[in-house]
Amino acid sequence: MTLHISKNSNFEKYVSYSIFVITLISFFIGFILRENSAGGGIIDLKHEWHNYNLLKNDNLAFLFGNYEASRFPLFHFLNIKLNPFISSQKDFILSFFIYSFILIFVFYYCLSVVFKNRQKYLLFILLSVLLLSPYFRTSSFWGLQENLAYIFFLASFTLYEINQKNRLIILLLSFLSFYSDQKFILIPMIFFFRYLNRDQIFSRKNI
């Protein structure tokens, strides 16, 4: 009986790792071939590249200029301030592909923290689902802003699982996910109400 379980376990590991490797390879191939599985990547890239150059010349242009997006420009600000190597649209696309590649490792670490007692090879199946998502792939390949929000979202929940006392950092990360993509407004709200002292609404900790 033990031998039978061991064989099944080894087979599941082999299948899980194989699927992950295949999807990871397809992720790089999709980038090289300029895959646009979710649609709209080429059009959205034109807007994002326009916004980047607009804000590079004037940081406040998203308030008064011809800013072509419904999101706060956190992604562009980070690129402008922290990445001096962008001089062309190709550099812009490559920089966000690298960010998205980092997100894979962030996602895995988050899963390993949340699902501590699960077999590690099962987590690679969830990673494969991420790598096959047409929205994640299109955002990764065409320099779109969505994936940055996931990095801050996952980082906030991972830190919460590790040490809930890091309130300021957790709240900061959760708000950064919101500033990256306004659909993530629920994330800082969750942490706000978790940390809220309902017995003493006007206490110093709540402030």
Side-chain angles (χ1 to χ4, degrees):
M1 183 65 179
T2 304
L3 180 62
H4 178 66
I5 294 174
S6 177
K7 285 183 177 180
N8 285 341
S9 178
N10 290 333
F11 177 74
E12 290 172 355
K13 287 181 181 180
Y14 174 79
V15 172
S16 300
Y17 293 138
S18 297
I19 292 174
F20 172 73
V21 170
I22 292 172
T23 54
L24 184 62
I25 292 173
S26 76
F27 184 68
F28 283 95
I29 293 175
F31 175 71
I32 294 172
L33 298 179
R34 311 307 303 131
E35 175 190 311
N36 187 19
S37 54
I42 300 174
I43 297 174
D44 290 337
L45 173 61
K46 292 180 180 179
H47 293 297
E48 297 295 353
W49 179 238
H50 164 81
N51 292 335
Y52 173 82
N53 288 290
L54 183 72
L55 295 169
K56 191 174 184 180
N57 295 324
D58 181 4
N59 291 161
L60 296 178
F62 74 99
L63 294 174
F64 310 107
N66 185 24
Y67 181 70
E68 300 174 351
S70 59
R71 296 181 179 87
F72 293 130
L74 177 61
F75 167 64
H76 294 303
F77 285 148
L78 290 177
N79 255 329
I80 292 168
K81 300 299 182 182
L82 302 178
N83 189 354
F85 305 106
I86 296 178
S87 58
S88 67
Q89 193 179 84
K90 288 185 178 180
D91 296 335
F92 179 79
I93 293 172
L94 179 61
S95 69
F96 200 76
F97 178 74
I98 294 173
Y99 295 149
S100 301
F101 184 67
I102 293 173
L103 175 58
I104 299 171
F105 296 96
V106 175
F107 188 42
Y108 176 78
Y109 180 71
C110 179
L111 291 173
S112 65
V113 170
V114 175
F115 302 106
K116 297 177 183 178
N117 300 323
R118 295 289 183 178
Q119 295 288 344
K120 297 299 181 184
Y121 67 86
L122 296 176
L123 304 183
F124 282 90
I125 293 295
L126 296 178
L127 279 180
S128 300
V129 174
L130 175 70
L131 289 169
L132 289 174
S133 167
Y135 301 101
F136 175 73
R137 293 170 73 96
T138 301
S139 297
S140 304
F141 302 158
W142 294 97
L144 311 186
Q145 298 186 45
E146 286 90 337
N147 291 353
L148 182 64
Y150 289 106
I151 292 179
F152 292 123
F153 157 67
L154 293 171
S156 62
F157 271 90
T158 302
L159 185 58
Y160 182 81
E161 288 290 330
I162 295 173
N163 187 352
Q164 298 181 12
K165 294 182 179 180
N166 291 318
R167 298 182 178 184
L168 288 178
I169 300 177
I170 292 171
L171 285 171
L172 173 62
L173 290 170
S174 66
F175 271 104
L176 286 175
S177 69
F178 163 66
Y179 289 131
S180 302
D181 190 336
Q182 282 63 70
K183 294 193 298 291
F184 284 73
I185 182 60
L186 185 63
I187 307 306
M189 288 177 63
I190 290 173
F191 287 115
F192 174 80
F193 286 109
R194 278 185 176 270
Y195 287 129
L196 183 67
N197 186 342
R198 296 175 180 81
D199 297 327
Q200 298 177 350
I201 294 296
F202 298 105
S203 68
R204 182 182 299 177
K205 288 184 178 181
N206 282 340
I207 296 174

